[in-house]
Amino acid sequence: MPTTREPALRTTGLRKVFGDHVAVDDVDLTVPAGSFYGLVGPNGSGKTTTLAMSVGLLRPDAGSAEIFGVDVWRDTVRAKELIGVLPDGNAMPERLTGREVLTYLGLLRGMEPAVVAERADELLRVLELDSAERTLVIEYSTGMRKKIGLAIALLHAPRLLVLDEPFEAVDPVSAATIRTILRRFAGNGGSVIISSHVMALVEQLCDHVGVISDGRVVAAGPLADVRGGGSLDDAFVDLVGARTGGAEGLAWLTS
Amino acid sequence: MAHLLTPAPVAAQHMVRMRLAIMRNSLRGDDASNLTAGVSLGVLLAIGTIAVAVLWPAYLPLTLAGWLSGWIFGPLLFGGGSEALRPEYFSMLPATPRQVAVALLAGAFAGPAPAVNLLALMSLPVYGWRFGPVGVLVGLVAAVSTLIIMVMISRVFVALIGLFVRSRLTATTVGVLIGTAIALCSNGWALAAALGGTDTAAWFETVFRVLPSGWGVAAVEASWPLALAILVAGAGVIGLLLAVWARLLSRRVVSAVRGGVPSRRGTPRPLPATTSGARITAAKELRAWWRDLVRIQLLATAFSYAIVTPLLLLAIDAWIMVPFTGLIAIVMAASSSANLYGADGTALWLTLMTPGAERSDVRGRQLAWLLAVGPPAVLLSLAGTLVSGESWAWPWVLGLLPALLGGGAGLIVLLGVTSLVPGTDPHKRGGNPLSTGADESAETGIAWLVLIAVPTTALPAAGAILYHPLAGIAAGLLTGALSMWGFGRIAYRRLESRGIELLNLMKHGPAPTPDKPTTADLPVQHRIGVMICHLIAWLPLFPQGVAPLFMKIFGVEGPSWFLALHLPSMWQWPTIIAMIATGLLMYGYAFLIPMRLSSSSTAPTS
């Protein structure tokens, strides 16, 4: 049985190569149970690939991932009972309404019909999707798709939430709602991993961060340790060795 | 103003360059080789068309009508037509819709298909040679104008579908049109035979000259004032089509395309409160069958083909096919349902992330397919057999019906997970609401495979029927149930073990494996051979082989177009066997050659 002393997620030597491109190179991450973990990195640094391999949606070339001590690739079914996932940009059962998607997935997980109905109702109301009762998911806006994705991840009350870019394209009011939900989830002992490249958001929400650049972990640990004395933004630019452009050229635009 | 509008010819030039650049960049590996094979096949057909103009000029209008139907139905059958240059890209250019349309039209010609078609249309000046130098000149002008008209008709047709297929009714209409067209192509001869005996009858000549594809022939044959009038009329039609297209384009750019979603009234019926995973997936799938215009169109195509084919044969008073209407519908519906996993796209991740859901998913899809296809197919079978009065057909219908239904339900999920063709995720599609964005030639290959494989699952039942009618019905029920259960079991086992690879195939396309040879590495002559076999192998196998086989077994009179039945009786059986063997050999070649190539390599995937 998984215990709370086991980390929520531990990856060891995760590696993935696409063609000649090494997307994820020997990634070791430890997400302590009960922590709110932010995975940050520039675009294309390997965040999404790492998360997909950690939850069992992409087979790693090497390495392993454990969720509360359960090996994702050896004991897949048990690992999947423990996590709720919001991947970036995947399709859904597009010809169902939001309520139908939740009902369908809840029943498919073997939950009691009454429980599914009650939770779906509550999730739709809290995430303000209940007004779109007749709208099929394919007609949802990008923000609504994020919200129904989050509802799907929460439905079975998982112990670990893995959310890839949960705030992208979400309006400020909905973002505040989602932040509150996630804080409550973490406050009650749940563990959360989010990926993002919005540093302010990560600073505001997370107590632990991991910085990935070019498929490698360049820093990881409690937020205060990673950012040192300055802001996470400064620490990030230092860590990934980025050079901010935009100051040169374009003379015709300003003349 | 700082920037003057680009003059039309320059804009057209840019459009052509852009189209060629896109084509160049997207031609990698398999695509490039497919293109070579496609173009080679097209050139062969074009040379064939010219040969028709020289050797059998009476059939030239008919042949050109074939090219026209390719332009109309090609984009329908094979996705959304060429959308390399989407009008949306240019919606913010300071230009009128007409200017954009003209430039896009120029871009539409920068591709292999119009070039091949132009070669085929060179049959017009060749035919004109018979009428002297003026004939050649008229033929040349007509070739160019006919090409433009054909391409424009294709574009207008695609634009109309993109704009107006928004409801179940329009999707069904398109499906019925396609189904009828396929039925006419394969069995239209019956109608022609009934209407006027020979193919050179007056009505026949007129019909194919009135079609836009036949105007060139008409112009070449006419006196020069009339020829001039026809050519001018052709130019007028081009202007008209361009105006229509420009309007359609401008409407498309400002209207929200939502991937083919029919309008809804009222709150949807709640999903059944069940804890059976297969039943809940079936409920989801049934909603998809009812709400997805692509699926509605596919079913309409299957059923209209199944209904129109026997009706055409009624024209020559042949009732033999009527009892089998429902069976044809089952096989056709199975062939268009074989890529449902591909059409749903990355939604598979939810099945994979739900513990143990793979089995429910496969079983639910099978159940939903049976519920969507079964009842109308059973109804058609019973009604068809009753109405036709062909009482000998009862054991065949009752025995083959469960065998084919079970075979179809088993094979669609098996092929769905073993031969998945990735498409575009539903929420990312645009333009044509009836296109899934999947590779059309691969999808067609799967469809053909199903057309062969599903009837094969009914062979034991057919054998048992010959032995005893009741044994046949029992065998049909048994093999049907076995196929559905067994193939479904293989399918969900496969989904459990390789589901992640399927998901990533749909997300990122095929994994680049440089060491592994693909079908693209087949020598071009083999690729053309495989294509031709896919296209025509059904001819010797079914209509010329299996059909006369059954007619002989049951002593049905009337040779109609079955070659074997026209021959002296001692040659009939050998001919039938030779035809079936030819068909099987062609299919064997078409499937085994590419397979042998891919299995001879060592798969480096871990």
Side-chain angles (χ1 to χ4, degrees):
Chain A
M1 193 56 208
T3 63
T4 40
R5 274 171 303 173
E6 293 280 0
L9 170 71
R10 176 164 52 206
T11 73
T12 322
L14 275 187
R15 183 180 166 83
K16 187 75 194 175
V17 182
F18 295 115
D20 319 325
H21 173 63
V22 183
V24 171
D25 190 5
D26 206 12
V27 163
D28 296 321
L29 279 178
T30 304
V31 177
S35 67
F36 202 130
Y37 198 97
L39 193 60
V40 298
N43 294 327
S45 57
K47 301 188 292 287
T48 298
T49 310
T50 303
L51 289 184
M53 289 191 289
S54 307
V55 300
L57 282 174
L58 180 69
R59 208 181 295 277
D61 292 340
S64 65
E66 283 173 17
I67 287 172
F68 295 108
V70 178
D71 191 304
V72 173
W73 292 99
R74 253 183 250 135
D75 199 353
T76 313
V77 171
R78 238 175 88 209
K80 282 173 183 175
E81 285 167 358
L82 300 171
I83 46 178
V85 179
L86 171 69
D88 190 26
N90 273 351
M92 276 178 232
E94 307 281 342
R95 312 282 162 175
L96 299 185
T97 65
R99 183 183 299 278
E100 284 175 334
V101 171
L102 292 177
T103 313
Y104 161 62
L105 288 165
L107 294 176
L108 198 57
R109 274 188 179 267
M111 293 162 62
E112 280 302 313
V115 177
V116 176
E118 193 191 316
R119 287 192 190 174
D121 211 50
E122 223 172 329
L123 281 167
L124 291 172
R125 207 174 53 240
V126 173
L127 288 166
E128 288 160 334
L129 289 170
D130 51 347
S131 55
E133 203 59 72
R134 276 186 246 162
T135 315
L136 300 189
V137 171
I138 194 169
E139 296 169 282
Y140 274 21
S141 66
T142 318
M144 287 166 83
R145 289 185 79 90
K146 282 276 184 219
K147 289 203 274 181
I148 194 69
L150 183 66
I152 290 169
L154 291 168
L155 182 67
H156 54 287
R159 290 182 52 200
L160 167 65
L161 274 178
V162 181
L163 315 172
D164 198 357
E165 305 278 2
F167 295 98
E168 213 176 45
V170 177
D171 67 81
V173 180
S174 306
T177 311
I178 295 176
R179 277 200 301 273
T180 312
I181 295 173
L182 294 183
R183 279 207 188 98
R184 275 179 63 192
F185 179 80
N188 289 317
S191 316
V192 184
I193 305 173
I194 64 168
S195 79
S196 180
H197 41 238
V198 183
M199 297 304 146
L201 190 105
V202 172
E203 254 178 322
Q204 196 189 356
L205 276 175
C206 302
D207 45 47
H208 284 69
V209 273
V211 185
I212 289 194
S213 176
D214 285 329
R216 292 175 155 276
V217 180
V218 290
L223 176 66
D225 294 0
V226 172
R227 72 175 164 192
S231 72
L232 186 58
D233 240 337
D234 296 335
F236 179 77
V237 173
D238 275 352
L239 281 166
V240 303
R243 192 185 67 96
T244 47
E248 300 132 33
L250 307 188
W252 48 269
L253 195 58
T254 47
S255 65
Chain B
M1 210 164 95
H3 302 284
L4 286 173
L5 221 55
T6 320
V10 181
Q13 252 183 46
H14 290 322
M15 213 61 101
V16 169
R17 283 212 193 109
M18 188 168 165
R19 171 83 197 270
L20 290 178
I22 290 175
M23 210 168 77
R24 228 178 9 249
N25 293 338
S26 57
L27 283 186
R28 300 259 184 271
D30 234 12
D31 285 345
S33 162
N34 269 334
L35 183 79
T36 322
V39 169
S40 315
L41 185 63
V43 168
L44 278 182
L45 289 175
I47 292 172
T49 309
I50 297 176
V52 168
V54 177
L55 302 173
W56 309 280
Y59 293 97
L60 185 57
L62 175 67
T63 315
L64 291 177
W67 286 91
L68 176 65
S69 68
W71 279 105
I72 294 178
F73 290 106
L76 271 185
L77 293 173
F78 303 128
S82 162
E83 284 273 272
L85 297 178
R86 295 190 180 189
E88 287 82 3
Y89 300 165
F90 312 102
S91 55
M92 288 313 291
L93 285 183
T96 64
R98 175 90 63 119
Q99 286 166 321
V100 174
V102 171
L104 277 175
L105 183 62
F109 282 96
V116 168
N117 201 142
L118 187 62
L119 181 65
L121 285 166
M122 283 304 123
S123 55
L124 286 173
V126 169
Y127 179 54
W129 183 250
R130 292 164 186 262
F131 302 88
V134 179
V136 176
L137 188 67
V138 171
L140 273 176
V141 179
V144 174
S145 72
T146 308
L147 177 69
I148 300 178
I149 291 175
M150 283 185 177
V151 175
M152 292 275 357
I153 288 179
S154 174
R155 293 288 144 148
V156 169
F157 204 64
V158 170
L160 277 174
I161 285 174
L163 264 181
F164 293 110
V165 177
R166 288 282 185 280
S167 64
R168 292 185 186 96
L169 182 68
T170 43
T172 311
T173 311
V174 173
V176 169
L177 270 179
I178 298 176
T180 310
I182 303 175
L184 275 173
C185 287
S186 56
N187 285 296
W189 56 269
L191 203 59
L195 275 175
T198 60
D199 346 308
T200 45
W203 69 268
F204 184 89
E205 295 198 343
T206 317
V207 165
F208 287 102
R209 278 170 181 72
V210 168
L211 289 177
S213 53
W215 296 347
V217 178
V220 167
E221 290 168 345
S223 61
W224 72 263
L226 185 55
L228 196 65
I230 293 175
L231 292 179
V232 170
V237 168
I238 292 176
L240 195 71
L241 285 171
L242 195 60
V244 172
W245 194 43
R247 281 209 57 157
L248 291 174
L249 284 186
S250 59
R251 277 191 62 174
R252 167 175 161 179
V253 168
V254 293
S255 74
V257 180
R258 272 290 181 197
V261 180
S263 58
R264 274 172 314 287
R265 284 184 296 272
T267 312
R269 219 158 62 94
L271 289 162
T274 168
T275 44
S276 148
R279 273 189 63 200
I280 188 72
T281 307
K284 176 210 80 166
E285 277 290 294
L286 278 177
R287 280 162 177 74
W289 280 110
W290 177 239
R291 294 173 187 173
D292 186 344
L293 296 182
V294 178
R295 295 197 191 196
I296 290 172
Q297 179 246 320
L298 287 177
L299 275 194
T301 305
F303 276 92
S304 59
Y305 173 82
I307 292 170
V308 173
T309 301
L311 285 181
L312 284 173
L313 292 174
L314 286 189
I316 52 167
D317 207 28
W319 287 78
I320 178 170
M321 293 294 277
V322 177
F324 301 111
T325 310
L327 303 187
I328 302 174
I330 294 171
V331 177
M332 286 297 283
S335 90
S336 48
S337 312
N339 197 30
L340 288 184
Y341 275 101
D344 282 354
T346 51
L348 183 63
W349 79 273
L350 280 165
T351 307
L352 298 179
M353 285 311 291
T354 309
E358 290 91 349
R359 185 175 169 278
S360 311
D361 197 78
V362 166
R363 292 301 186 206
R365 277 171 195 267
Q366 289 185 303
L367 195 58
W369 185 84
L370 273 186
L371 287 173
V373 177
V378 170
L379 207 67
L380 279 176
S381 297
L382 298 183
T385 318
L386 270 180
V387 170
S388 69
E390 310 265 337
S391 52
W392 59 267
W394 277 114
W396 291 95
V397 170
L398 295 179
L400 296 182
L401 189 65
L404 289 175
L405 271 176
L411 283 168
I412 54 164
V413 287
L414 179 65
L415 288 171
V417 297
T418 52
S419 317
L420 184 145
V421 183
T424 312
D425 268 359
H427 63 291
K428 291 176 184 158
R429 290 174 200 157
N432 184 347
L434 296 183
S435 161
T436 60
D439 172 21
E440 303 89 19
S441 51
E443 251 190 344
T444 315
I446 305 281
W448 279 114
L449 189 59
V450 178
L451 287 186
I452 315 296
V454 172
T456 311
T457 62
L459 280 182
I465 294 165
L466 286 176
Y467 175 68
H468 191 279
L470 282 180
I473 295 171
L477 285 169
L478 190 69
T479 55
L482 266 180
S483 305
M484 182 165 163
W485 176 80
F487 290 140
R489 188 178 156 84
I490 304 174
Y492 72 70
R493 287 275 174 98
R494 172 94 179 175
L495 199 56
E496 282 165 356
S497 62
R498 308 290 294 169
I500 294 159
E501 280 68 26
L502 282 184
L503 175 67
N504 287 291
L505 171 69
M506 290 190 277
K507 213 169 162 67
H508 308 291
T513 43
D515 305 334
K516 186 183 166 193
T518 62
T519 37
D521 298 331
L522 272 181
V524 154
Q525 67 268 29
H526 272 304
R527 291 185 64 80
I528 298 170
V530 167
M531 263 187 186
I532 292 175
C533 285
H534 271 306
L535 279 176
I536 62 166
W538 60 279
L539 261 175
L541 183 60
F542 292 110
Q544 294 296 344
V546 175
L549 172 92
F550 281 109
M551 290 180 78
K552 265 191 81 74
I553 290 176
F554 298 111
V556 180
E557 293 301 320
S560 65
W561 74 306
F562 304 114
L563 175 68
L565 305 186
H566 281 282
L567 296 173
S569 62
M570 66 172 292
W571 287 107
Q572 291 188 351
W573 278 113
T575 312
I576 289 172
I577 291 166
M579 283 289 184
I580 295 181
T582 311
L584 288 177
L585 273 179
M586 287 171 90
Y587 275 121
Y589 169 79
F591 286 111
L592 290 182
I593 287 279
M595 227 184 264
R596 200 183 64 186
L597 184 89
S598 51
S599 66
S600 67
S601 63
T602 48
T605 46
S606 58

